[in-house]
Amino acid sequence: MVEFILRRVLQAILVLFVMTVLVFFGVHVIGNPIDLFVSSECTKACVDAIMANLGLDRPVWEQYLIFLGNLMAGDLGNSFTFGVPAMSLIWERFPATLELATAALVIALVLGLPLSIHAGLYPDSPVSRAIMALSMLGFSVPIFWIGIILILTFSVRLGWFPAIGRGETVDVLGVPVSFLTLDGLHHLALPAITLSLIMLSTVIRLTRAGLREVLTSDYIRFARANGVRETRVIGWHAMKNILIPIVTVLGMEFGSVIAFAVVTESIFSWPGVGKMLIDAISVLDRPLILAYLIFVVTMFVVLNLIVDILYSVLDPRVGRSAR
Amino acid sequence: MDPVLDIRGLTVAFGRGATAVPALFGVDLTVQRGEIVALVGESGSGKSLTGFAVTGLLPSGAQVTGGAVRLSGTDLRGLSPAAMRQARGRRVAMVFQDPMMTLNPVLRVETQMGDALRAHQDISRRAARPRLVQALADVGIADPAARLRAWPHELSGGMRQRVAIATALLHGPDVVIADEPTTALDVTIQGQIIALAQGLCRDRGTALVWITHDLAVVAGIADRVAVMYAGRIVEDGPVDAVLDAPAHPYTRALIDSVPASHAKGTRLPTIPGRMPGLSDMPPGCPFAPRCAHAAPACTQAPPPVVQTADGRAVRCLTPLVPVAERGAA
């Protein structure tokens, strides 16, 4: 187990290194952030002073070495635009994104599991066909379009839900959350639904396919031959086998949803990290972009680990010897 | 006394309506209380399908289209799904071919056996425990309490099949249908499992339908043998009579193609051709195209069941043993 974790960490470090090189030099090639945010009244001397202050006057390879050195010391640098540590900005915004992504995951599971079990048990029924057609749409229709249509329908036309922003929040353990207030839930509904669609479709397709396969297996037939009740056969004997691929895929999917909630957050002006990333990219705020991407890579590594641990819990054949 | 299992004219088809493909063509099989019957045939002859039809667990797409299945007098075809579930495990149980696949890989033995026990008995998991330990001990599993906590992958094939047998016998069913339960096992283990199943059923008066393609097994275990070919039972009689003097040419050919029954150094006889598929069933006797004894009449219409002089049922126009006088039966 220790060796396993160690190997994972080394892989992560390698990925981080390659990623920082690409992003660092990529951003450098795109342009000089100073040109984007200094005011027009700033003279040459003033610009040079800012450049020197941010370290941008040095050669790019030297800047990268300095960045690496600071990274070793755990310092990801200050945001060019905000002048505060980049990580603090991320931590400030992250709860909003995590809340949105978690809400999307809950919607995907709560809706997806019953729908897909129905579709798996009665594959030929019209309801099942409708469910499968909708899951196909969920995959294929772009998120920004769905978001806009939801806003047009439920905010503009019907006026049921607010179109933008995060509602009233309350602090839980010092973290602001919005799902505990009615206003917060109200604001959460549309973005969470939008963000959940791909995960929902994934859950539906995976569970249905898994269920169809597992139901023909001998062990399900054996359980039925012993008179075990259908609810128990489907709900436990079959589901426990299907959960393994679902957990794997959803674990990764959840990471992507957090990392790339960019589109949804932009549409609904959700004050999360995705929105922040877009803003950072548009002003070439390199420390903030890098900090965010390092954060995302780390998150994926951690999610991967969690999935692997869940694996050995769900499937007794995996990783017994390692524990 | 009523037979414990009475199958009359059972027909099963895949699909519905005009495109339905029949797979069983009127299977008749009677099993007396405590009797051990071997159901023999090639792959695809419909022997497993017969077993699944009895337990109401036909694969999707297949359904019973006619006939009756009586279990201790109750017609199973008239039962609701809930009543059918009540019958499964309590009155009829099944053991399957591949012990590697029969147990759920992600559930402990205790969970699976416990669920089977609790399906028909209101008993807590804790209270079920000693019952399950005893059931495992009865099938000859050493250290049953530890095995109960095991995951299926920690058990050998033979041990898993013992667990399956123990589970099937939990509620003392009237009849157990064993679908080739030793085919996937080592020869040495095969013998143990056969002896075990035979012993347990004899002790408890449980009838056993042993589905197999292995005639050597038939001789060792069964009181009676029913030979299936292309969805029909072609011969049905006491095991000694059928194996010593088969009445149906197919049975004869089947016995002759067992290597052990044959003199060394001579060419092993094989049955030419193959069993007709479900969709190209000939109008007459399905075995006629491969049969050395076929008469022109054999290809006209399916032969009726005739009684042999020693009381066997055989579906053949040219049986190899004398038939009973017409009307004498």
Side-chain angles (χ1 to χ4, degrees):
Chain A
M1 195 70 185
V2 175
E3 186 206 327
F4 172 76
I5 293 178
L6 212 64
R7 205 181 319 139
R8 275 294 166 77
V9 171
L10 285 178
Q11 278 172 5
I13 290 175
L14 188 70
V15 171
L16 276 176
F17 177 72
V18 173
M19 187 274 292
T20 52
V21 169
L22 287 177
V23 175
F24 206 94
F25 292 92
V27 173
H28 180 79
V29 168
I30 294 173
N32 189 347
I34 302 299
D35 300 340
L36 291 168
F37 64 70
V38 290
S39 70
S40 50
E41 291 135 43
C42 198
T43 59
K44 179 80 174 67
C46 159
V47 169
D48 284 349
I50 296 175
M51 292 271 281
N53 185 23
L54 295 177
L56 290 172
D57 54 338
R58 297 160 199 258
V60 65
W61 59 268
E62 205 182 318
Q63 291 181 36
Y64 183 70
L65 288 182
I66 294 171
F67 162 79
L68 274 191
N70 289 340
L71 186 62
M72 293 303 161
D75 178 13
L76 288 171
N78 287 0
S79 160
F80 287 166
T81 35
F82 298 96
V84 294
M87 249 359 253
S88 72
L89 285 170
I90 291 174
W91 282 121
E92 200 177 287
R93 299 286 202 110
F94 185 62
T97 297
L98 187 64
E99 181 175 70
L100 184 59
T102 309
L105 180 68
V106 169
I107 292 175
L109 287 175
V110 168
L111 277 181
L113 286 179
L115 288 179
S116 54
I117 288 174
H118 180 91
L121 288 180
Y122 314 103
D124 297 326
S125 86
V127 177
S128 301
R129 286 177 200 280
I131 292 170
M132 295 322 287
L134 283 178
S135 80
M136 209 62 210
L137 276 182
F139 268 126
S140 354
V141 179
I143 283 205
F144 68 85
W145 187 84
I146 290 182
I148 290 168
I149 292 297
L150 284 181
I151 290 179
L152 275 179
T153 314
F154 294 102
S155 307
V156 179
R157 191 86 25 103
L158 297 170
W160 292 353
F161 293 100
I164 57 164
R166 196 180 184 202
E168 188 187 331
T169 60
V170 287
D171 278 15
V172 175
L173 303 171
V175 180
V177 296
S178 66
F179 71 95
L180 290 176
T181 66
L182 207 59
D183 181 54
L185 275 181
H186 212 196
H187 278 85
L188 188 59
L190 288 187
I193 289 171
T194 308
L195 197 57
S196 76
L197 281 178
I198 288 186
M199 274 196 289
L200 177 65
S201 306
T202 310
V203 169
I204 289 179
R205 298 202 86 85
L206 269 181
T207 313
R208 174 185 177 271
L211 194 58
R212 298 272 290 145
E213 191 190 320
V214 165
L215 283 183
T216 63
S217 69
D218 271 1
Y219 52 81
I220 292 301
R221 201 174 245 172
F222 185 63
R224 284 178 168 160
N226 289 317
V228 179
R229 282 185 180 78
E230 271 306 278
T231 46
R232 178 83 182 158
V233 171
I234 305 297
W236 192 235
H237 290 225
M239 275 318 282
K240 210 177 165 206
N241 279 280
I242 305 168
L243 277 179
I244 294 161
I246 295 181
V247 164
T248 316
V249 175
L250 275 194
M252 291 302 96
E253 193 82 35
F254 188 64
S256 325
V257 162
I258 293 179
F260 310 114
V262 180
V263 178
T264 310
E265 290 185 357
S266 301
I267 295 171
F268 292 96
S269 297
W270 188 264
V273 277
K275 184 84 172 44
M276 184 201 72
L277 176 67
I278 288 289
D279 296 342
I281 290 174
S282 61
V283 296
L284 296 178
D285 191 342
R286 196 177 63 201
L288 194 49
I289 298 173
L290 278 168
Y292 176 76
L293 290 175
I294 288 170
F295 175 76
V296 165
V297 170
T298 314
M299 185 184 69
F300 267 99
V301 173
V302 171
L303 273 175
N304 243 316
L305 262 179
I306 293 175
V307 166
D308 280 325
I309 290 167
L310 277 178
Y311 237 76
S312 61
V313 172
L314 287 173
D315 192 338
R317 293 163 298 187
V318 176
R320 283 281 137 178
S321 53
R323 290 209 298 188
Chain B
M1 199 165 90
D2 265 356
V4 64
L5 176 65
D6 189 19
I7 306 175
R8 284 278 147 251
L10 177 69
T11 57
V12 167
F14 285 95
R16 282 182 192 281
T19 56
V21 179
L24 294 184
F25 300 81
V27 169
D28 298 321
L29 186 67
T30 308
V31 181
Q32 302 299 332
R33 194 159 291 277
E35 192 180 29
I36 299 182
V37 175
L39 193 56
V40 189
E42 290 170 72
S43 314
S45 59
K47 48 196 201 306
S48 296
L49 210 55
T50 307
F52 291 136
V54 170
T55 47
L57 292 173
L58 285 171
S60 66
Q63 61 259 323
V64 175
T65 49
V69 178
R70 281 199 181 73
L71 199 62
S72 317
T74 321
D75 189 350
L76 295 181
R77 284 196 64 201
L79 293 184
S80 66
M84 189 66 229
R85 181 193 73 76
Q86 285 286 338
R88 277 200 294 268
R90 219 154 45 107
R91 298 170 70 179
V92 55
M94 264 190 110
V95 177
F96 294 93
Q97 176 170 1
D98 189 349
M100 297 299 167
M101 307 294 295
T102 309
L103 298 181
N104 197 323
V106 299
L107 299 178
R108 288 182 197 275
V109 170
E110 179 170 12
T111 313
Q112 304 188 44
M113 291 185 76
D115 280 356
L117 185 64
R118 284 146 50 88
H120 302 299
Q121 246 179 50
D122 196 10
I123 181 172
S124 74
R125 292 204 174 273
R126 179 184 290 269
R129 204 131 206 271
R131 286 275 308 276
L132 302 180
V133 171
Q134 185 56 47
L136 287 184
D138 288 348
V139 293
I141 288 182
D143 198 2
R147 294 287 172 267
L148 199 58
R149 297 292 300 158
W151 299 99
H153 72 272
E154 294 167 344
L155 306 178
S156 68
M159 198 128 50
R160 292 190 209 187
Q161 203 59 292
R162 285 172 194 266
V163 169
I165 292 171
T167 311
L169 290 174
L170 274 178
H171 296 281
D174 299 331
V175 55
V176 171
I177 296 169
D179 188 3
E180 307 213 31
T182 57
T183 308
L185 297 175
D186 282 348
V187 180
T188 48
I189 310 293
Q190 269 187 27
Q192 293 175 10
I193 297 290
I194 290 169
L196 174 74
Q198 194 179 26
L200 285 173
C201 288
R202 290 263 188 261
D203 291 348
R204 303 174 185 204
T206 305
L208 180 61
V209 177
W210 192 276
I211 298 174
T212 181
H213 62 258
D214 187 348
L215 281 171
V217 170
V218 173
I221 189 171
D223 303 316
R224 236 179 62 219
V225 56
V227 181
M228 270 194 102
Y229 186 79
R232 300 161 178 85
I233 287 182
V234 294
E235 179 165 4
D236 181 355
V239 68
D240 294 336
V242 172
L243 292 186
D244 290 346
H248 197 285
Y250 175 65
T251 318
R252 169 88 268 164
L254 208 55
I255 294 169
D256 286 345
S257 46
V258 174
S261 69
H262 208 68
K264 244 188 191 148
T266 55
R267 182 173 281 273
L268 185 67
T270 53
I271 311 177
R274 56 181 185 85
M275 194 165 65
L278 292 180
S279 47
D280 54 8
M281 206 54 81
C285 171
F287 189 59
R290 306 167 76 182
C291 181
H293 305 268
C298 291
T299 58
Q300 300 305 311
V305 178
V306 293
Q307 297 286 325
T308 65
D310 58 356
R312 279 181 271 166
V314 57
R315 221 178 245 280
C316 185
L317 292 176
T318 58
L320 306 177
V321 299
V323 296
E325 293 290 324
R326 199 169 281 279

